[in-house]
Amino acid sequence: MPPAQAGPDYPYGSTQLRPQWRDRWAQGLSFVVVACAGTSLLIYQHVWPLERMALTILFPALLGITLAFAPDPPALISRLAKRLTVAGCAIGTLSGPWLAPMILAVPALLASSVAIGWLYGERRRD
């Protein structure tokens, strides 16, 4: 991939944005999202009405699958943030009534990805 250049289409440069259908990370993350959503649907199918299942299970799962196959950003921290967000979507499908507090915790999740990326970058320099 060519180096990222600042401009109107930063951070991807002028490359076309295409889904990552064959990427192992994307396939694995989407499988985890589907498995968590399927498990949650089986648990709550007779307990919750259809509209609640759509809002708390199906929509987070669709967001997770969409993000999993989205192109990876060039920066390590951004890739980590994307993957942690997809993992959060997978866990969110299982969280039931705790989904709203999990959504409020997304800024902390993104901050943790920056901290992990910073520590990883420091370790690579040594």
Side-chain angles (χ1 to χ4, degrees), residues 89-122:
C89 288
I91 295 168
T93 61
L94 293 170
S95 65
W98 289 95
L99 181 63
M102 285 184 65
I103 292 171
L104 292 174
V106 167
L109 176 79
L110 296 176
S112 68
S113 70
V114 171
I116 292 168
W118 179 74
L119 290 173
Y120 181 75
E122 289 290 322

Side-chain angles (χ1 to χ4, degrees), residues 18-28 30 65-66 68-71:
R18 294 191 175 152
Q20 299 179 336
W21 300 118
R22 297 192 197 302
D23 184 51
R24 291 289 177 202
W25 268 102
Q27 291 172 352
S30 64
I65 291 170
T66 303
F69 288 115

